[in-house]
Amino acid sequence: MSGFKARLAQTTFLVLLGATAAQAGGFQRGTADTDVLYDATPFSTRLGFTYVNPARGFDRVNGVSGDFGDYTGNYMIPSAALKLGNDTVACVGNYVESFAAEGDYSSLPGGAQPAAFPGGSRVRDLEFDSNEISATCRVSYATNGMRFSLLGGVFGEDFNFNGTSLANRNLGATLPGSLQAALGSVGGQLLLPVALTADTSADFTAGFRIGAAFEIPEIALRAQVLYRSEVEHDDITGNGTLVASNNAFVQLADGRQLSIPTAAAFLAQQGITVPPSLIAALPTGGTVLAGNLPAFQNTATSPQSLYVNAQTGIAEGTLLLASFRWTDWSSNREVITTVAGNSSTSPYYWDDGYTATIGIGRAFNENVSGSVSIGYDSGVSTGAETTYTDLYTLSGGLALKNNDWAELRVGGLIGYWTDGEQRRSDGALFDADVGNDWVYAANVSLKLTF
């Protein structure tokens, strides 16, 4: 094979992979860049950023249709790789944001998810992320125009979480007995809206990668399989803060809500006087009620995965590219956050995820090559939540080289998310439906070789 095609093998492979970073299912964000292990130069470094816009929102909540906005947030995936080595032995150090998620439900009625039960807490927003720092090495043996490689390495991954739930705190027990009896006579409750925020984290936990690769450089063939181990974060602790999210109010038995002045006037009509000093003592919106509360979470699992990718020349200057990933998302059951004895639950109960892509890479000249691919991601949602349904993608990218030591890659993706539903009967906190939605992503990276 000509040097022209050999350079193509080095330039287009990751264009495809980088452009499809949005197609990962579940909480997957980025993966360690092990592709630089195959660079012929003794030193390579690559910096990359991927922007993803997963526009997903509810069309129906508890049987009520409406435009509730998108609860998924846009995000960036940073990555960095530094490789040293030769044809026989090479190692790469990586940083990447491996897993993350963000949900903002403040546009739903009541400013949060519906309560799981009357009086229960309701998730307003949550986000978490895990950062991975890794080292992966390749040991190779070449013979008869072929090269066999073993890959292995270790990584450390942390976990960081922040979330806020809304609830109503019953202040009836703090009232004088006469006022308690008066409220009870009209079926009323004195309630204070509160927001309970948890900020928790876990230190880096170790995991490993192991794999193998086979190459025939003459036809630009490379096949690689790489396994990433599961990581369990089982010591997620931190602090919580309880804040009055609004002013106190009185709720009557028929569901009507009365402001404190209105409620006082209502009771005055019943011959009951509410002391002004008691009204002045009630917390108002924004008041910090308690801080540094003990907070913790149940075990968070970063699932094991198996990743297979391959490329081969099929014509002069043309490559066939393919990849497949299995991820053990069925290990994700639910997230339980507890602050000062008060717990909120986010159920998942996912299936395993399968992602496949196939594409074509083409060298247009000595300095420009590109790729285009289609992909499919099997949805992992089972009905307990409905974010990650089946996803179909179209992506493409370009690799630009102006010399032998610098390469710029840019890529883009558009994805089509199928509709889905979540139901209490399947473990959901509330019934909801999502429609067909779109996902957009863009990727850019710069590689320097010496």
Side-chain angles (χ1 to χ4, degrees), residues 238-258:
N239 297 307
T241 303
L242 183 67
V243 177
S245 58
N246 211 329
N247 297 334
F249 64 94
V250 170
Q251 181 168 294
L252 302 180
D254 60 7
R256 286 183 295 162
Q257 296 182 357
L258 307 179

Side-chain angles (χ1 to χ4, degrees), residues 88-102:
T88 303
V89 179
C91 292
V92 59
N94 285 107
Y95 162 76
V96 71
E97 186 180 69
S98 51
F99 297 95
E102 180 179 346

